[in-house]
């Protein structure tokens, strides 16, 4: 157990290092002279010597390795530099925005988990019944509907027709509801399939037969015996879905006129603000690496079979 | 005659919803620009925001353009971009996958580690990062999506390539003294391409969503070329007064994706050509339950 955790941590550190190299190279290898671009963005392209001045300013004339080391040192200290476009401090911007995205993804994850467990369980409890068919239909449609269309539909239904919640903007708990539903639909659909199929498979195993012969009720067997057995698969799938929800924030935040990390990244991409793109990309990749690590460790903690197999090897 | 008969039997094995939606998408995707009743970008501001009528079957948008024609032409836009993305992604993926399957050893480890990393990052983030570097535009969209998509086909083609390399006829060829290039190009590559293409078609739905998402964000297909995601974002400010213009393109895209997703599931569950046993089917369903990514790493 301890050895596996150590190995896995080591792996994550290597991945983090690779992620930093990728983020750095992406920006360095971008076509065109960055200094000229900054001069253009600041509207100073005409003035002589300004491009050289910027080159000095951001250290473009130093060797690559030194630039990488400088950059990494700053990043580790939490300094992502200054946005080329607005001149703002990137960390300050990120600090303002990260809670919005964090809440969005966390809330979406809760909604998706609850919905998928309930739906998948209902579907598996009466296989072939009308609820099962409804759940399967939801899984198919939910996984096939693009997130931006889900967003447009929920805004239309809840804000325009029913007029229950504010469509866009940010005031109070009510304005969280629609974005949470929007990010949660796709993960809920995929995860409910995982639960539904996982339970069906678990219910076909011998220990269920034993429990049945002991006279336990179907609900009890499913809830107490089958459900815990699908946790490893479920947590794995949930980890993937949390990653996808973070990506979905890029779509959902502009849709609801929110200012979070997704919106920040998108604007960085739109205006080719490399420092912003680099910082957001690095944060996203770090988040995925951490989520993957947590998922792997949790799966191992919950599944003694994997624990034995991996630490034994 | 023979191929036609086998095609019909193959189609009969598919769910009806798949056949209907996918063939509609392909039909409008190929013939859309020719059968569209009107010019999709002809504006007529006196007709803006109209409901369905005899001339405009699905009404007009906020610039007075015919919605039906725009939807049809958008199918064509979507089909060509998805086709191009998948073609480039599969070329990269099959090359990488077959090389990994042929060489094994450290080459395989290296390539597959790369594939794992690629698969663990959502494709939207990869493609946005690429667009952020090279700048927006049609070709950078295709290139960015292909870069996000190749790991999937690489993984499948490696699996297929490994199984081909383990077959006895490859060993026989080696004994006969066939050169590595002959084994690779005459036996490994043709065998891999076929099966990978079948699986990759099933990805077309997700690729269509990705194209529409980038266009929705304004970084993919640019106006005036009609595209579903971009039609939707265009009509979004008029959601209250004219929701039809938002819902129709969304529905068209969703229908196409449902078709490809069910197709992919059917292929993965191997209902066609032969049925699996109940136990096998359950395991297989477990594997495909998460459409977006495999969950099993059983080695």
């Amino acid at each position: 157990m301890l050895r596996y955790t150590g190995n896995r941590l080591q792996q994550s550190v290597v991945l983090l290092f690779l992620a930093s190299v990728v983020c750095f190279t992406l920006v360095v290898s971008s076509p065109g002279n960055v200094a000229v671009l900054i001069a253009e963005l600041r509207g100073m392209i005409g003035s002589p010597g300004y491009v050289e001045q910027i080159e000095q300013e951001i250290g473009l004339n130093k060797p690559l390795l030194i630039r990488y080391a400088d950059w990494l040192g700053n990043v580790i200290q939490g300094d992502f530099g200054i946005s080329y476009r607005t001149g703002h401090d990137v960390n300050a911007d990120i600090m303002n925005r990260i809670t919005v995205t964090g809440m969005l993804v966390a809330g979406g994850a809760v909604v998706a988990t609850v919905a998928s467990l309930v739906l998948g369980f209902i579907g598996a409890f009466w296989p072939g019944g009308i609820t099962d068919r409804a759940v399967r239909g939801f899984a198919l449609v939910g996984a096939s509907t693009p997130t931006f269309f889900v967003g447009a539909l929920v805004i239309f239904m809840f804000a325009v027709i029913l007029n229950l919640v504010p469509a866009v903007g940010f005031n109070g708990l009510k304005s969280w509801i629609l974005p949470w539903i929007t990010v949660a639909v796709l993960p809920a659909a995929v995860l409910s399939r995982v639960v539904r199929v996982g339970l069906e498979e678990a219910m076909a195993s011998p220990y269920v037969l034993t429990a049945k012969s002991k006279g336990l009720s179907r609900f009890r067997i499913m809830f107490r015996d089958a459900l815990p057995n699908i946790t490893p698969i479920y947590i794995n799938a949930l980890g993937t879905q949390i990653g996808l929800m973070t990506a979905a924030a890029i779509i959902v935040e502009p849709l609801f006129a929110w200012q979070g990390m997704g919106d920040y990244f998108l604007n960085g991409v739109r205006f080719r603000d490399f420092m912003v793109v680099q910082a957001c990309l690095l944060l996203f990749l770090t988040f995925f690496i951490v989520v993957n690590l947590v998922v792997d460790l949790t799966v191992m903690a919950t599944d003694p079979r994997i624990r034995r197999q991996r630490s034994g090897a | 005659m023979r191929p036609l008969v086998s095609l019909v039997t193959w189609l009969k094995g598919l769910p009806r919803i798949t056949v209907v939606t996918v063939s509609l998408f392909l039909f409008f995707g190929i013939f859309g620009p020719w059968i569209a009743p009107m010019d999709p970008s002809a504006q007529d501001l006196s007709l803006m925001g109209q409901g369905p009528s005899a001339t405009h079957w699905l009404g007009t948008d906020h610039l007075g353009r015919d919605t039906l024609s725009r939807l049809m032409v958008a199918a064509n836009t979507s089909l060509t971009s998805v086709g191009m993305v998948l073609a480039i992604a599969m070329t990269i993926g099959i090359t990488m996958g077959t090389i990994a399957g042929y060489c094994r050893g450290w080459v395989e480890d290296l390539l597959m580690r790369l594939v794992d990393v690629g698969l663990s990052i959502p494709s939207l983030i990869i493609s946005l990062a690429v667009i952020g570097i090279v700048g927006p535009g049609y070709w950078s969209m295709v290139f960015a999506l292909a870069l996000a998509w190749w790991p999937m086909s690489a993984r499948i083609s490696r699996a297929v390539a490994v199984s081909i390399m383990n077959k006895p006829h490859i060993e026989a060829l080696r004994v006969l003294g066939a050169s590595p290039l002959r084994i690779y190009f005459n036996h490994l590559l043709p065998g891999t391409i076929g099966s990978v293409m079948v699986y990759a078609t099933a990805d077309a739905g997700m690729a269509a969503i990705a194209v529409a998402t980038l266009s929705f964000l304004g970084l993919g297909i640019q106006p005036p070329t009609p595209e579903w995601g971009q039609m939707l974002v265009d009509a979004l400010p008029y959601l209250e007064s004219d929701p039809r213009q938002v819902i129709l393109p969304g529905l068209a895209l969703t229908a196409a994706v449902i078709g490809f997703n069910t197709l992919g599931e059917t292929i993965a569950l191997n209902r066609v050509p032969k049925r699996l046993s109940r136990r096998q089917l359950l395991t297989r369903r477990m594997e495909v339950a998460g459409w977006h990514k495999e969950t099993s790493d059983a080695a």
Side-chain angles (χ1 to χ4, degrees), chain A residues 202-220:
Chain A
M203 289 303 277
S205 32
Y207 66 83
V208 169
L209 198 66
T210 316
K212 265 186 198 155
S213 64
K214 286 205 275 182
L216 298 175
S217 75
R218 185 172 160 76
F219 181 82
R220 211 204 108 110

Side-chain angles (χ1 to χ4, degrees), chain B residues 98 101-102 161 164-165 170 183-193:
Chain B
T98 43
Y102 183 87
I164 291 180
M165 287 306 286
I170 299 287
I183 295 179
Y184 184 82
F185 282 107
N186 288 358
H187 299 273
L188 184 60
L189 206 53
T192 315
I193 289 176

Side-chain angles (χ1 to χ4, degrees), chain B residues 154-177:
Chain B
R155 160 162 294 200
I156 302 168
S157 39
R158 188 209 68 115
V160 177
V162 167
S163 80
I164 291 180
M165 287 306 286
N166 285 336
K167 279 186 179 157
H169 76 274
I170 299 287
E171 208 182 336
L173 278 165
R174 282 235 169 92
V175 174
L176 283 172

Side-chain angles (χ1 to χ4, degrees), chain A residues 143-144 146 156 193 247 270 272, chain B residues 124 133 217 243 261 265 288-289 291:
Chain A
S144 309
F156 181 60
R193 263 166 65 100
R270 268 198 193 132
R272 305 189 65 199
Chain B
L124 181 62
I133 301 307
L217 297 174
N261 275 350
E265 196 187 355
V288 296
W291 263 304

